[in-house]
Amino acid sequence: MIPRATYRLQFNAGFTFADAQAIVPYLAGLGISHVYASPILSSRSGSSHGYDGVDPTRVDEELGGEPGLRALVAELRAHGMGLIADIVPNHMAVGGAENAWWLDVLENGKASPYAAFFDIDWDTADPALRGKVLAPFLGEPYGAVLEAGDLALVFDAALESFAIAYHHHRFPIRPEDYPAILRAGGEEFEALAERFEAADGRAGFIEACRVTASMGDRLDAVLEAHRDPHILHELLERQHFRLAWWRVAGDMINWRRFFDITELAGLRVEEPRVFDMIHGTILRLYREGLVDGVRIDHIDGLRDPAGYCHRLRERLDELTPLRPEEAVHERAWLIVEKILGRDETLPRDWDCHGTTGYEFMDRAGAVLHDPRAADVLSELWSEVSGRYPDFESEEADARNELLVRDFSGQLEACACAFHAMTQAELETRDITLASLRRALTALIVAFPVYRTYATEGAAPGSDAPHLAEAVAAAREMSAPGEAGIVDLIAGWLSGIGGADPQARGEAVARFQQLTAPIAAKAVEDTAFYRYGRLLSRNDVGFDVTALAVGVDDFHAASVQAAAHYPDGMVTTATHDHKRGEDVRARLAVISEDPGSWGEAVAEWFERNRRIATEMIDPADEYTLYQMMAGAWPLDLPPDDAQGLAAFRDRLAGWQEKALREAKLRSSWRAPDGEYEGACRAFLETIIDPDRSLPFLEAMHGYVQQIAPAGALNGLTQAFLRNLAPGVPDLYQGCEFWDFSLVDPDNRRPVDYAARIKALGEGAALPALMPHWRDGRIKQALIARLLNLRAEAPARFARGDHVPLEVAGARAGNVIAFARRFSSSLLIAVAPRCTSAAIEPGGAPLPDPQWWQDTRILIPPDMIGTPMRDGWGDGAEVALDGEIALSELLADLPFGLKLSA
């Protein structure tokens, strides 16, 4: 079943299924059709997000377990609603002691029944790792940890096995070593050692382990004998894992991670048995009618995304007729988390309904920016920061750095896979591993999208333009005489050449599973934090090179969405966003008057010059001012010490993450405490009213000047999201103003009591306009639009998006379109870039006279259609050939007309 509208909920121990059950009536009243849940299967204890799964066969007990899930779904069904589940097929959490599959691999190596579950290279070129799993979980170099006595042999009662203990980590000992371990404790343990030697299969081994566990403190003699670092080292050298310092992971790791996160290991979900184990429970929940659709996390991490989608769709379709009578028997909704690059579209043959909507989030924000500010803001950024004025240069630097520093091991494995191909044929045997590594580096640095989608056969045609763009740039970067190697690799990526299709498929897969994490880490988690032209344009899935998009481009994308992916998700806020949707909306106002912004920033730099000292990088100071201006709470006066302290603490969390993600003056790998401390001290000083009141008054004054226009932008985003082609998603709590910062700030508890009360009051939109600061107007707008979708679902689910022509003095300040399905018609009009018409500190409503002669031109085939005002219950009036904005937008900033 295709949802009408979803509401994203972040489940954790502090917000469980029971908590969600309590707000179902509220969500139904808001107009939501489906709860869109964060991962519900078992994740690490205390997980705040659920993407660190440890057991996909069980519903997470911390969330309420399967009984809690069933109670939630029963409440949803009682209100005519359903549930969408977020699933994570790409990776699982490892390390610690909660993932039984991973622990079994550490214990039994390649013989483990789960060895093929994880993407491990058992035949690495490094002799020390051959047949082993690198375990880079140590906080210090191995030798130092060993000598310090931080590694200890224990008999873990929960695991019922001998293991190496290191803080919360457990590394199980291989069964072959149990007899020798026990005999080290003396004759008392001889019989038990012999029992292990005589154990018949796994059952016998487990029974012997239980006998061992019953010995309790008597095992101390055995453990004591292994406290000697040399004896412990000899034992460790025999294991199926190799302990290592966490810093060596980027160079040495022989298994695929989620990005560069060592505690998240990649899964081989392309293997049928792995697929079945990973999806067994979620498919059962679908068959039993508890789940109505799924969202696939990070699909670009998988070896073959298209093949995966087809397999999952096939299984879902097989189960649909078996669902309970009371459950929906339509096809399951299937969407994928896929970040689309510039000029990239989702492949049409994946048999899914669309993406999670990052591309809509990008264009809905970009259309609210004034493109004329691009050069001015670029120059201001470069002048203040001393860094590149363009984003492309920052991105190239970041890609190069991360390939060398954090992904060198994965790059080497990729190069080796291609080198094996060259060595298999006489005409390519002289191509060296080093030259292949250089060519691959150039291609990856230049890659314009997350990845391509070739398999062992021919590559899909959609890959060609992106590969051609990368090849052209990589050839320019190549050393003299090596451009041909770039061409050779490009041919293989296109499915051309190579005597062994299987070897080519392996090499291509390694390349494609490397470009995706490089794009994510180098662009979103590095360059986004280095480039600060205007932070409203730095968010997940955004094209940062474009400050703005035109209205025509926005319409063109919406027309395409209606034609090809009418059931994809559209959103403007997520659990992964860098800053809240209303922070971005307010910062967009800066693009309308970059001169005033530049003057304000110059004043703030001058006021705080003595506080900042030479140690604070001006780029970091500049981005801090942007975040303060964008996220300043609407009800926070400049002399409220308590409120400012709370705001300071939130900003400090963002600041630490921003500094470390940028990897310039500090990083997660090597935090610079002195520099971070200086930045924190600067923040604490400038936000303290006892020390910096004049600055705070200036900042507050600027915020008050742009806040109404920013609020209007926020309302416009909500208006567009709920009327555009696709399924609108509302991130938890964002029905009120969303001035959140990067996670975990954007995952804070939501005050549902206030939201329930506001919705229950049922105030009309015009009555809420004077009180816009409390956020109720945003909620009321969303509720009205979502309930309109419920009244005429086909108009939105299958209706065309028809751009409407605008004429007059302010034609460039309007987004006007119709949604039409058969005889059902809706006309929508929204403002953009109207700060000049809004009174500073006043309501987010442009002066009606400012529109002058601006008017919507109605197409001939719509003229005469009986229409009523979408905000009330007025009488129907035949549609004229023109609609004057000075009348249409006199009381509210949006125009909405509906046919019967």
Side-chain angles (χ1 to χ4, degrees):
M1 176 183 182
I2 310 303
R4 189 180 65 249
T6 59
Y7 191 95
R8 171 70 178 206
L9 288 176
Q10 290 296 122
F11 286 105
N12 52 61
F15 188 87
T16 66
F17 297 140
D19 296 309
Q21 184 179 345
I23 64 168
V24 166
Y26 162 70
L27 297 180
L30 197 59
I32 300 298
S33 70
H34 287 71
V35 163
Y36 163 36
S38 61
I40 60 174
L41 302 181
S42 291
S43 57
R44 271 204 181 114
S45 299
S47 174
S48 63
H49 48 75
Y51 291 98
D52 46 1
V54 294
D55 185 356
T57 68
R58 295 185 299 113
V59 176
D60 201 320
E61 294 297 332
E62 286 192 355
L63 309 184
E66 193 160 321
L69 178 65
R70 290 183 179 277
L72 168 60
V73 173
E75 184 71 14
L76 289 169
R77 297 292 186 227
H79 287 81
M81 299 169 66
L83 180 71
I84 306 301
D86 194 343
I87 63 174
V88 190
N90 178 69
H91 58 268
M92 293 181 74
V94 296
E98 295 184 85
N99 188 331
W101 298 354
W102 177 257
L103 294 174
D104 196 281
V105 172
L106 296 182
E107 181 180 10
N108 297 293
K110 292 177 71 173
S112 167
Y114 304 106
F117 279 44
F118 300 97
D119 209 346
I120 301 168
D121 182 0
W122 295 100
D123 299 313
T124 177
D126 185 347
L129 275 176
R130 226 164 262 156
K132 293 178 180 283
V133 178
L134 185 73
F137 299 102
L138 304 182
E140 300 290 341
Y142 170 75
V145 172
L146 186 67
E147 286 296 327
D150 292 335
L151 298 174
L153 178 68
V154 300
F155 190 87
D156 190 292
L159 299 178
E160 292 187 329
S161 67
F162 283 110
I164 299 298
Y166 178 72
H167 300 302
H168 68 290
H169 297 290
R170 294 294 182 270
F171 306 97
I173 297 298
R174 63 179 192 151
E176 299 94 315
D177 286 315
Y178 277 45
I181 288 173
L182 289 164
R183 288 188 173 108
E187 293 184 5
E188 177 186 359
F189 299 96
E190 180 61 33
L192 185 54
E194 291 176 356
R195 180 167 186 163
F196 274 103
E197 289 176 329
D200 183 15
R202 187 68 181 172
F205 173 75
I206 291 173
E207 182 58 33
C209 283
R210 288 175 178 159
V211 173
T212 306
S214 69
M215 300 185 72
D217 293 344
R218 293 160 58 195
L219 287 173
D220 287 349
V222 171
L223 305 179
E224 184 66 31
H226 290 83
R227 296 196 187 279
D228 183 291
H230 299 291
I231 295 175
L232 190 58
H233 171 67
E234 289 177 2
L235 175 63
L236 284 166
E237 287 293 279
R238 298 194 297 271
Q239 302 312 305
H240 297 295
F241 56 85
R242 180 182 174 88
L243 292 179
W245 190 20
W246 68 270
R247 288 184 182 276
V248 309
D251 294 331
M252 293 182 61
I253 202 157
N254 64 333
W255 42 277
R256 184 172 60 85
R257 300 174 288 176
F258 173 67
F259 298 159
D260 60 348
I261 303 173
T262 301
E263 294 197 353
L264 295 175
L267 291 165
R268 301 181 67 213
V269 75
E270 66 274 8
E271 294 294 326
R273 180 166 172 260
V274 181
F275 180 95
D276 290 343
M277 288 288 285
I278 292 292
H279 296 87
T281 295
I282 208 72
L283 289 171
R284 174 178 62 80
L285 296 176
Y286 174 71
R287 177 176 54 79
E288 294 178 5
L290 298 177
V291 168
D292 300 303
V294 290
R295 177 256 199 196
I296 313 303
D297 182 64
H298 188 49
I299 196 162
D300 274 345
L302 308 185
R303 185 184 182 100
D304 179 13
Y308 170 83
C309 283
H310 294 152
R311 179 178 292 176
L312 182 58
R313 170 60 72 195
E314 181 181 350
R315 295 295 301 278
L316 289 167
D317 285 352
E318 289 172 354
L319 296 173
T320 298
L322 306 178
R323 283 161 61 85
E325 184 176 339
E326 66 273 14
V328 175
H329 285 72
E330 299 173 15
R331 286 188 105 195
W333 194 46
L334 178 60
I335 57 169
V336 298
E337 186 198 26
K338 160 70 183 159
I339 292 175
L340 298 172
R342 193 184 316 118
D343 301 323
E344 183 184 15
T345 57
L346 185 67
R348 299 283 302 281
D349 61 351
W350 283 13
D351 203 9
C352 66
H353 287 103
T355 74
T356 53
Y358 291 130
E359 66 277 8
F360 178 85
M361 183 168 153
D362 177 25
R363 64 178 181 266
V367 76
L368 302 179
H369 289 68
D370 191 327
R372 295 171 295 183
D375 290 343
V376 175
L377 290 173
S378 295
E379 291 170 8
L380 176 60
W381 163 249
S382 185
E383 179 183 345
V384 168
S385 67
R387 300 193 64 79
Y388 300 115
D390 65 293
F391 180 74
E392 294 90 337
S393 298
E394 289 287 10
E395 178 180 347
D397 282 0
R399 283 176 175 266
N400 268 305
E401 289 172 24
L402 265 71
L403 263 175
V404 170
R405 185 178 61 224
D406 295 341
F407 292 89
S408 61
Q410 202 168 334
L411 175 62
E412 189 69 13
C414 181
C416 287
F418 280 104
H419 190 240
M421 291 180 62
T422 66
Q423 300 310 293
E425 300 186 45
L426 295 178
E427 57 267 34
T428 57
R429 61 178 287 178
D430 286 339
I431 296 178
T432 65
L433 176 62
S435 65
L436 284 166
R437 190 187 304 114
R438 289 191 293 270
L440 287 166
T441 297
L443 276 169
I444 293 168
V445 168
F447 226 69
V449 293
Y450 256 54
R451 60 169 288 174
T452 49
Y453 298 98
T455 55
E456 292 180 10
S462 57
D463 286 357
H466 309 303
L467 187 56
E469 182 180 342
V471 168
R475 285 175 61 88
E476 291 291 324
M477 287 186 258
S478 296
E482 293 190 357
I485 301 175
V486 172
D487 293 337
L488 182 66
I489 295 172
W492 289 331
L493 292 172
S494 302
I496 301 171
D500 184 350
Q502 186 174 353
R504 185 183 68 219
E506 180 64 29
V508 168
R510 287 185 179 274
F511 178 83
Q512 293 176 155
Q513 288 183 299
L514 176 55
T515 59
I518 286 295
K521 295 306 294 182
V523 179
E524 295 160 22
D525 291 343
T526 303
F528 275 13
Y529 288 94
R530 294 181 178 182
Y531 186 70
R533 176 174 66 177
L534 192 58
L535 295 182
S536 52
R537 296 296 301 134
N538 296 19
D539 222 307
V540 180
F542 283 24
D543 179 6
V544 186
T545 64
L547 180 69
V549 300
V551 175
D552 289 345
D553 293 327
F554 177 84
H555 284 316
S558 296
V559 168
Q560 288 297 308
H564 301 307
Y565 283 106
D567 301 321
M569 180 179 282
V570 291
T571 190
T572 50
T574 77
H575 64 283
D576 275 336
H577 65 230
K578 306 294 184 187
R579 49 200 57 83
E581 61 183 22
D582 295 308
V583 176
R584 298 193 308 271
R586 186 188 290 172
L587 289 175
V589 180
I590 291 173
S591 72
E592 299 182 51
D593 188 2
S596 294
W597 166 254
E599 292 171 4
V601 167
E603 177 191 343
W604 300 337
F605 266 95
E606 181 59 29
R607 283 187 182 277
N608 297 327
R609 181 166 53 85
R610 294 174 185 170
I611 304 170
T613 72
E614 294 182 358
M615 187 173 187
I616 306 297
D617 190 317
D620 296 327
E621 185 176 351
Y622 185 72
T623 54
L624 174 60
Y625 292 149
Q626 286 193 57
M627 290 303 293
M628 291 181 73
W632 189 286
L634 288 166
D635 58 353
L636 179 62
D639 58 353
D640 179 356
Q642 185 175 356
L644 287 165
F647 188 36
R648 174 202 65 207
D649 291 344
R650 293 177 54 220
L651 285 167
W654 161 82
Q655 183 185 64
E656 178 185 81
K657 185 165 187 173
L659 293 173
R660 294 183 180 184
E661 295 284 20
K663 306 170 189 67
L664 293 171
R665 300 295 299 269
S666 190
S667 69
W668 297 108
R669 291 171 62 92
D672 186 329
E674 182 180 6
Y675 184 71
E676 290 184 4
C679 289
R680 175 65 185 259
F682 175 70
L683 168 61
E684 290 178 348
T685 301
I686 67 170
I687 207 167
D688 183 348
D690 291 336
R691 292 182 284 179
S692 300
L693 186 59
F695 162 72
L696 290 170
E697 289 174 336
M699 172 64 77
H700 180 262
Y702 183 79
V703 170
Q704 296 310 301
Q705 179 181 332
I706 67 170
L712 180 54
N713 280 344
L715 295 174
T716 298
Q717 283 186 141
F719 185 81
L720 295 175
R721 183 184 72 237
N722 289 295
L723 296 178
V727 177
D729 175 58
L730 177 56
Y731 182 69
Q732 61 177 30
C734 289
E735 58 270 37
F736 277 12
W737 300 123
D738 172 27
F739 294 113
S740 64
L741 311 179
V742 72
D743 65 272
D745 190 72
N746 62 359
R747 302 171 188 173
R748 288 176 296 157
V750 176
D751 182 357
Y752 281 111
R755 286 159 174 78
I756 292 169
K757 180 176 182 293
L759 187 67
E761 291 168 352
L765 282 164
L768 293 173
M769 185 62 71
H771 311 286
W772 63 273
R773 293 175 180 272
D774 61 21
R776 290 181 297 156
I777 189 168
K778 185 181 179 187
Q779 181 196 54
L781 174 67
I782 291 169
R784 175 58 180 157
L785 297 177
L786 289 182
N787 281 283
L788 282 179
R789 295 182 77 102
E791 293 171 9
R795 176 198 290 152
F796 297 96
R798 292 293 171 262
D800 295 331
H801 177 99
V802 183
L804 298 179
E805 185 179 352
V806 185
R810 310 296 185 189
N813 301 94
V814 183
I815 305 169
F817 58 93
R819 296 300 310 279
R820 179 170 57 185
F821 177 74
S822 185
S823 61
S824 179
L825 180 66
L826 173 148
I827 289 177
V829 180
R832 64 178 293 271
C833 300
T834 58
S835 63
I838 297 175
E839 180 183 352
L845 178 65
D847 182 347
Q849 300 309 310
W850 182 81
W851 293 110
Q852 299 180 33
D853 65 341
T854 308
R855 59 204 182 277
I856 310 300
L857 305 182
I858 302 301
D861 61 344
M862 296 182 188
I863 294 174
T865 303
M867 305 287 283
R868 61 182 174 85
D869 179 51
W871 305 122
D873 298 319
E876 290 185 351
V877 178
L879 197 59
D880 289 333
E882 296 183 354
I883 302 177
L885 263 64
S886 59
E887 297 178 9
L888 181 68
L889 307 183
D891 300 317
L892 288 172
F894 305 102
L896 193 64
K897 290 187 175 294
L898 310 171
S899 68

